[in-house]
Amino acid sequence: MPLGHATGPRHWATPLGHATGPCHWTMPLDHAINIRNDQCPDLLIHNAHRIHHGGAMSEQDIAAQRKAEKAAFEQANEEAYLRRVKTKHTETRRKEKQVTNLEKVEMKLIQKLRNTQQLQQQAFHELESALNGDV
């Protein structure tokens, strides 16, 4: 029987959903190791390859594999968390810098407004003096 073809009601799977590397093969799901593909795909491929080629895994190997998978999963979660924290921190600094720049622009505009008000007040007094004949 060619690889990838099942007789009867058995379900078949390939690692990561497709054949990988020089060995194109499939295996029955009831022999597959129960891990999530996104956690540790290299281990899944390695162990599925071992199973395909007749190498049975001991309980110790399975326990060690699950421990390694858990560590890899926790490491990936920690790295993702640290990336999110770093991104948030960078975004916060960028926004704080933007606020500081806007405050500087605001102060310049307020000073310009004050100068304009003083100039208008001075012009008003000069106009009032000219109209009253106090020149």
Side-chain angles (χ1 to χ4, degrees):
M1 167 175 59
L3 291 176
H5 293 81
T7 57
R10 278 188 120 162
H11 299 280
W12 292 78
T14 59
L16 302 178
H18 61 284
T20 305
C23 180
H24 297 277
W25 50 273
T26 58
M27 66 179 180
L29 285 174
D30 54 347
H31 289 114
I33 305 300
N34 185 21
I35 65 171
R36 286 180 36 196
N37 290 345
D38 62 338
Q39 287 178 351
C40 199
D42 293 336
L43 283 175
L44 177 64
I45 292 169
H46 173 74
N47 289 325
H49 192 267
R50 282 181 60 187
I51 291 169
H52 171 67
H53 292 290
M57 292 181 65
S58 70
E59 288 184 28
Q60 291 173 338
D61 289 341
I62 293 171
Q65 175 190 354
R66 289 186 187 202
K67 184 177 180 181
E69 291 166 3
K70 182 178 179 182
F73 181 73
E74 288 173 354
Q75 178 69 26
N77 279 342
E78 183 176 348
E79 289 171 359
Y81 171 76
L82 291 175
R83 279 192 305 272
R84 287 191 309 270
V85 168
K86 184 178 179 181
T87 300
K88 285 279 191 185
H89 182 68
T90 301
E91 186 67 18
T92 299
R93 283 188 313 199
R94 187 186 68 78
K95 287 184 178 185
E96 287 173 350
K97 190 173 184 179
Q98 187 179 24
V99 167
T100 300
N101 288 337
L102 288 172
E103 287 173 345
K104 287 178 183 178
V105 168
E106 180 184 30
M107 291 304 295
K108 287 179 182 179
L109 290 173
I110 289 171
Q111 188 58 46
K112 247 179 147 175
L113 178 62
R114 286 181 181 154
N115 292 343
T116 302
Q117 286 174 337
Q118 285 177 352
L119 186 63
Q120 285 177 341
Q121 193 175 33
Q122 183 181 2
F124 177 76
H125 287 304
E126 287 178 11
L127 179 61
E128 189 177 43
S129 295
L131 289 174
N132 290 333
D134 295 339
V135 186

